Amino acid sequence: MELPFSSISFLLFALFSFSYLSNPAIARGGEESSNRFNDSMDYNHWILTRRLFQKNDATIIGGDFARGYMTNSELENAVKDFGRRCNRISKIYSIGKSVKGIPLWVIEISDKPGKEEPEPAFKFIGNVHGDEPVGRELLIRLANWLCDNYMEDPLATLIIKRAHLHILPTMNPDGFSLRRRGNANNVDLNRDFPDQFFPNNEDLELRQPETKAIMSWLEGRHFTASASLHGGALVANYPWDGTSDRRKYYYACPDDKTFRYMASVYSHSHFNMSLSKEFEEGITNGAFWYPIYGGMQDWNYIHRGCFELTLEISDIKWPNASELPVLWDFNRMSMLNLVANLVKTGVHGRIISAHTGEPLPASIMIKGINYTVKASRSFGDYHRILAPGESYEVMAAFPGYRPKSTRILLEDGAMNVDFVLDLDEEDQKFRHGFRCTCGNQSSLQLMELLSGTHMQISLAVLVILVLLCLLLRRKMVLKFPKHRKPTTLGHRRQIEA
């Protein structure tokens, strides 16, 4: 019996996909489905291909292991107590709620909390996976250490005075209370973000509320860098996390050298991470370790201009609570140095208009690196992380202005490079050619209207309006008599037909 061509194609596709399945991994996640879906796939089949709802969860933790860890209510009280005790340098806010309605509390730490400043911002996210709770405990300890050592310890003072640190102790409180990896819907939150290689979760409505909360959070705030805390290994992981063909190999992102540097800062500041026999220097490219898709790390870098690391901070996912003080000692300097390096290294500055003196939300580009960093709208400030010990050509560009570039040698310390951009005269001549008297922004709006595909539409509309005016004028002429006596009303001039 002959098989239909569609069946043969399906079998070949299934065999091909199966040959590229990655090995199950311990820390960042398990086996991923290799099926690509199409528009005709129904909702239930789509859910199964994503493996969002897993029937068998082998990672449920017993009650004995949970003893000694803060419950969700205790963690919430700890966050609010911190906010009251350290209110001079902190602000507490929520970015949303979990499936079960538990608030996702964030601690902002700065000398001017809640106020926008021309300073870099960093975020820590803990407990992405419910059965990896060490991060939530260490992040509360980090916040308290910074509060207790402000104006006493140089690192604490530097971070609080010159950066904005945001701490989300738990992204997955429901998974924690259920003692399992996924959230209340048994979804792995680190597979729920848009992915550059496989569009298996492009529908915002099908994402989990915790994922939506993170995405909305980053729409309103820009973070220069970030780190999420995991458990099950001891390594600093950096992009890319996946490959286009699902195979396991080193797949570098445009800022590979910078990410290697950031990961090394954490690894070498750690008690023993850099001594790993499994990972050279205690760091790894995600795809080289094992590919994952829908991860939060790559999404941050691609869509929000945020340099994020995935930090595996304990080789046991849920260690005995008695080990937490030791784990804090092992990771404390790593966490502090990673945040402090935002200020201590890289290129920073502001971009100003020579014409108005106002800040410009311009683009910062590095020659040879296919990645753009945006300056803020409020202050025109930018913060570009780069690996030290290299020479870089830095360029600032903004529409309507002439771009400027300069070459720098970035050594161990940070560099400040400001740009004052001049108006592009040729561009301004073009803009002035379309000037009208409809307001300050009318020229630019008219130019935009007449550009590209709008030109033909605009001309057609113009012709129609002219014809309508002619018809209306003709009707008015026919309606009124040809000879009308002049009338005078007050001091108005005479009006003749």
Side-chain angles (χ1 to χ4, degrees), residues 200-248:
N200 61 340
N201 52 354
E202 294 299 318
D203 191 340
L204 178 62
E205 295 306 314
L206 294 176
R207 292 199 185 96
Q208 298 303 298
E210 298 90 348
T211 310
K212 292 179 183 178
I214 296 293
M215 296 177 71
S216 298
W217 186 22
L218 269 67
E219 284 180 2
R221 298 174 185 265
H222 174 68
F223 293 96
T224 305
S226 173
S228 63
L229 305 184
H230 295 252
L234 199 62
V235 65
N237 179 97
Y238 55 90
W240 296 125
D241 260 344
T243 59
S244 57
D245 56 9
R246 303 187 69 92
R247 288 185 292 178
K248 171 185 170 182

Side-chain angles (χ1 to χ4, degrees), residues 12-298:
L12 290 174
F13 176 73
L15 289 171
F16 176 79
S17 300
F18 180 78
S19 66
Y20 289 118
L21 281 176
S22 59
N23 293 328
I26 297 174
R28 290 184 300 154
E31 182 182 353
E32 287 283 323
S33 171
S34 62
N35 293 329
R36 298 286 300 277
F37 68 87
N38 51 49
D39 292 336
S40 64
M41 185 175 294
D42 63 24
Y43 174 81
N44 292 330
H45 190 195
W46 185 84
I47 288 293
L48 290 174
T49 61
R50 289 186 65 196
R51 295 199 177 185
L52 295 186
F53 300 93
Q54 301 175 12
K55 295 180 180 179
N56 298 317
D57 192 338
T59 60
I60 295 178
I61 306 299
D64 291 341
F65 284 94
R67 188 175 295 114
Y69 285 83
M70 286 182 287
T71 65
N72 286 328
S73 59
E74 290 171 342
L75 179 65
E76 181 175 2
N77 290 334
V79 169
K80 292 180 177 179
D81 288 344
F82 175 87
R84 287 188 289 267
R85 184 172 74 89
C86 307
N87 55 25
R88 294 182 301 107
I89 61 163
S90 69
K91 177 185 176 183
I92 310 300
Y93 64 96
S94 172
I95 62 169
K97 293 183 178 181
S98 69
V99 172
K100 291 190 173 183
I102 298 176
L104 304 177
W105 293 108
V106 176
I107 302 171
E108 179 186 3
I109 299 177
S110 167
D111 61 340
K112 295 179 181 178
K115 296 182 179 180
E116 188 177 3
E117 295 185 276
E119 296 179 347
F122 190 101
K123 62 180 168 67
F124 274 120
I125 298 178
N127 203 197
V128 179
H129 294 135
D131 61 345
E132 298 169 13
V134 172
R136 58 191 266 151
E137 297 281 341
L138 298 197
L139 289 176
I140 291 296
R141 292 175 185 247
L142 174 65
N144 282 296
W145 187 91
L146 287 169
C147 180
D148 294 339
N149 290 275
Y150 178 49
M151 302 304 292
E152 299 291 335
D153 182 271
L155 270 182
T157 305
L158 176 71
I159 290 170
I160 293 173
K161 279 187 170 292
R162 298 184 57 189
H164 282 250
L165 174 61
H166 298 252
I167 296 174
L168 173 62
T170 176
M171 178 182 169
N172 188 4
D174 297 346
F176 171 82
S177 62
L178 293 168
R179 315 279 197 269
R180 70 183 183 196
R181 179 182 185 85
N183 67 351
N185 292 329
N186 209 6
V187 176
D188 186 334
L189 298 178
N190 203 35
R191 305 294 185 276
D192 198 42
F193 286 83
D195 188 83
Q196 62 176 322
F197 300 118
F198 298 102
N200 61 340
N201 52 354
E202 294 299 318
D203 191 340
L204 178 62
E205 295 306 314
L206 294 176
R207 292 199 185 96
Q208 298 303 298
E210 298 90 348
T211 310
K212 292 179 183 178
I214 296 293
M215 296 177 71
S216 298
W217 186 22
L218 269 67
E219 284 180 2
R221 298 174 185 265
H222 174 68
F223 293 96
T224 305
S226 173
S228 63
L229 305 184
H230 295 252
L234 199 62
V235 65
N237 179 97
Y238 55 90
W240 296 125
D241 260 344
T243 59
S244 57
D245 56 9
R246 303 187 69 92
R247 288 185 292 178
K248 171 185 170 182
Y249 54 87
Y250 196 111
Y251 199 45
C253 73
D255 278 289
D256 183 67
K257 188 174 291 185
T258 298
F259 273 110
R260 287 180 61 87
Y261 167 71
M262 290 174 61
S264 296
V265 167
Y266 197 93
S267 173
H268 286 273
S269 301
H270 191 275
F271 178 78
N272 60 351
M273 186 180 287
S274 63
L275 305 177
S276 172
K277 293 182 180 179
E278 182 181 2
F279 305 100
E280 185 177 357
E281 295 191 25
I283 66 174
T284 187
N285 173 264
F288 184 69
W289 186 9
Y290 64 93
I292 71 167
Y293 302 92
M296 183 167 62
Q297 172 183 270
D298 288 4

